[in-house]
Amino acid sequence: MGMSYLVYPGAHHTRFQHALGAMFLMQKAIQVLRLKGVAISEAEAEALCIAILLHDIGHGPFSHAMEHSIVDNVSHEYISLLFMEELNLQFNNELTLAITIFKNEYHRKFMHQLVSGQLDMDRLDYLRRDSFYTGVQEGTVNSQRLIEMLNVHEDCLVVEEKAVYSVEKFIIARRFMYWQVYLHKTGIVAEQLLMNLLKRAKELVQKNVAVPTSNALSFFLQNTITQEEFGKNALDTFALLDDYDVVSSMKLWLHHEDFVLRSLSEMLLNRDLLKINIKNKPYTKEKIRKKREVIAKKYKITQHEAAFFVFEGEIENLAYKMDNDGINLLTKKGKVVDVARANDQLNLKALSKTMVKYYLCFPKPKY
């Protein structure tokens, strides 16, 4: 949940809890499909459970914030795969099938769809779990009903037609959760501040400025780690990182001589964040430049340093993607049709369009 706890105090659940929940749902899905005559061997069932259990193992501290700060745009999916491959060596290649399914290289496509698809066990768990812990009731989905309605047609995952309204509610719930929780404006500000904080720390370290932190975090601040350079040493060090490395570092940086590092740490620890404006059109470069000039003049810092406090970006919300890997319904006549084309109540086609909004973050007037 990243920094969402700043908005929803109950959102302190972990990815470990989510991984266990997703594996539990996978076991239910395997049981349902077997009862409907879908042949799933014991080896395949085990591989499915391993794949979903480890699907998020590559996430670093505070979720997605790490992918664009301490490492150089290395996705958590890629790191998850590296962890799985390393574990496979330690377990005498017993994870080979799970990795094949995870990479979508297994000939039975529905198995990958159960792990990573538009109606996978990952989403069925996190939507309901996040809804519960945040108290946002709009995110509640009936995962049990959806799993009971799963089936397989020509080795692809489908949902029985009578579950169309449950699927519709699932898609709408996902849209609501993104706007109300995952893309909440306060959460966006906090996550961007955290990313800027780590970028500044890395910038200072690479200029030979002393920045006290844990050994694990120090490794990533001292080195530029790209996907090609993410070897075993980087992987082992990444495994040592958790939220406490970052929070304890922020406490140390409260007294750092660097204005940017010190101020960003204060904002996050004291929950005194930047102001954020969101609109449907991008902000002009001129407006951003002027705001940076004001901050640079006020605190006697450079334009480059002011950019850590005044910045813009965009957010996207795509509840459902109509493509070859969409959610397909199996009609009573044996036809397979995309759920967005089968629905007669609400226009799910509208939810298949990407909604883009633009934000501008800057210090509150009192600063």
Side-chain angles (χ1 to χ4, degrees):
M1 294 294 290
M3 306 293 285
S4 295
Y5 68 89
L6 294 175
V7 185
Y8 302 101
H12 279 285
H13 52 295
T14 67
R15 282 198 181 274
F16 178 63
Q17 294 166 334
H18 160 58
L20 290 179
M23 187 176 72
F24 170 77
L25 295 182
M26 181 66 80
Q27 291 170 333
K28 291 290 184 184
I30 292 168
Q31 185 180 34
V32 165
L33 292 176
R34 279 175 167 171
L35 287 172
K36 292 181 180 180
V38 180
I40 300 175
S41 69
E42 284 302 316
E44 289 173 331
E46 182 183 65
L48 283 168
C49 289
I50 292 171
I52 197 67
L53 180 66
L54 300 177
H55 78 282
D56 266 351
I57 196 172
H59 268 288
F62 292 105
S63 193
H64 296 275
M66 298 298 102
E67 297 175 28
H68 309 290
S69 52
I70 64 168
V71 294
D72 192 3
N73 291 321
V74 185
S75 71
H76 71 273
E77 291 93 350
Y78 180 77
I79 301 174
S80 291
L81 184 58
L82 292 181
F83 273 121
M84 291 171 75
E85 288 173 342
E86 179 61 27
L87 287 168
N88 199 28
L89 294 175
Q90 296 181 24
F91 285 90
N92 299 317
N93 297 321
E94 290 183 22
L95 278 72
T96 300
L97 182 54
I99 293 171
T100 305
I101 292 171
F102 183 78
K103 293 167 67 175
N104 197 18
E105 294 176 354
Y106 195 53
H107 66 280
R108 307 188 74 183
K109 185 179 179 180
F110 79 90
M111 293 194 176
H112 176 74
Q113 291 173 317
L114 285 170
V115 175
S116 180
Q118 295 205 60
L119 190 62
D120 56 28
M121 300 306 106
D122 175 30
R123 293 182 182 182
L124 287 181
D125 181 83
Y126 78 64
L127 283 175
R128 190 172 180 183
R129 186 175 301 278
D130 297 348
S131 171
F132 176 82
Y133 282 103
T134 58
V136 178
Q137 296 301 314
E138 289 84 354
T140 304
V141 295
N142 191 343
S143 53
Q144 188 64 36
R145 165 73 174 171
L146 287 166
I147 289 173
E148 287 174 356
M149 293 296 105
L150 291 178
N151 211 327
V152 174
H153 179 77
E154 295 181 354
D155 261 337
C156 289
L157 195 68
V158 294
V159 184
E160 292 170 10
E161 186 179 19
K162 54 189 174 183
V164 61
Y165 301 113
S166 296
V167 175
E168 178 186 282
K169 186 176 185 302
F170 163 79
I171 294 172
I172 294 170
R174 189 164 183 265
R175 181 183 180 87
F176 284 153
M177 285 295 286
Y178 267 86
W179 284 138
Q180 290 184 239
V181 179
Y182 309 129
L183 297 177
H184 190 284
K185 63 178 185 178
T186 304
I188 291 170
V189 173
E191 185 169 296
Q192 292 300 316
L193 280 176
L194 179 60
M195 288 167 58
N196 282 354
L197 174 71
L198 293 169
K199 286 177 182 176
R200 181 58 174 179
K202 191 165 189 170
E203 192 176 87
L204 292 172
V205 167
Q206 295 185 353
K207 288 181 179 177
N208 294 319
V209 176
V211 178
T213 185
S214 68
N215 290 336
L217 186 54
S218 180
F219 172 83
F220 287 98
L221 296 180
Q222 291 171 7
N223 300 284
T224 301
I225 307 296
T226 63
Q227 186 167 301
E228 291 73 25
E229 294 162 338
F230 214 103
K232 190 174 186 306
N233 185 36
L235 189 67
D236 290 342
T237 309
F238 189 85
L240 299 174
L241 284 173
D242 57 29
D243 292 6
Y244 300 108
D245 290 82
V246 179
V247 175
S248 59
S249 296
M250 281 193 280
K251 288 184 175 182
L252 293 173
W253 299 341
L254 282 173
H255 311 288
H256 200 277
E257 60 183 14
D258 182 71
F259 174 82
V260 176
L261 196 69
R262 182 175 68 250
S263 300
L264 293 178
S265 298
E266 285 176 356
M267 286 179 178
L268 286 165
L269 288 173
N270 297 334
R271 301 182 180 222
D272 194 4
L273 308 177
L274 299 173
K275 183 176 176 57
I276 179 171
N277 287 342
I278 299 178
K279 65 178 188 177
N280 295 323
K281 293 182 179 179
Y283 288 86
T284 63
K285 292 182 178 179
E286 181 64 16
K287 182 171 185 176
I288 298 167
R289 185 185 63 78
K290 285 182 178 179
K291 283 191 175 290
R292 286 178 179 170
E293 282 181 352
V294 171
I295 297 301
K297 185 177 180 181
K298 184 174 183 179
Y299 295 106
K300 296 180 176 60
I301 57 177
T302 65
Q303 283 280 332
H304 172 71
E305 291 170 331
F308 286 96
F309 301 96
V310 180
F311 51 87
E312 42 80 38
E314 63 180 59
I315 51 177
E316 295 183 356
N317 189 351
L318 177 60
Y320 177 64
K321 191 175 181 180
M322 289 180 67
D323 57 18
N324 295 332
D325 293 318
I327 301 173
N328 291 319
L329 297 179
L330 181 64
T331 67
K332 293 177 181 177
K333 295 180 180 179
K335 276 188 166 186
V336 175
V337 58
D338 190 291
V339 66
R341 295 189 175 92
N343 183 278
D344 62 353
Q345 289 294 320
L346 291 173
N347 188 2
L348 291 184
K349 287 185 180 179
L351 298 183
S352 66
K353 295 179 181 178
T354 303
M355 292 291 295
V356 181
K357 293 185 179 182
Y358 303 88
Y359 64 83
L360 176 64
C361 297
F362 52 93
K364 297 171 184 176
K366 66 177 181 177
Y367 284 98

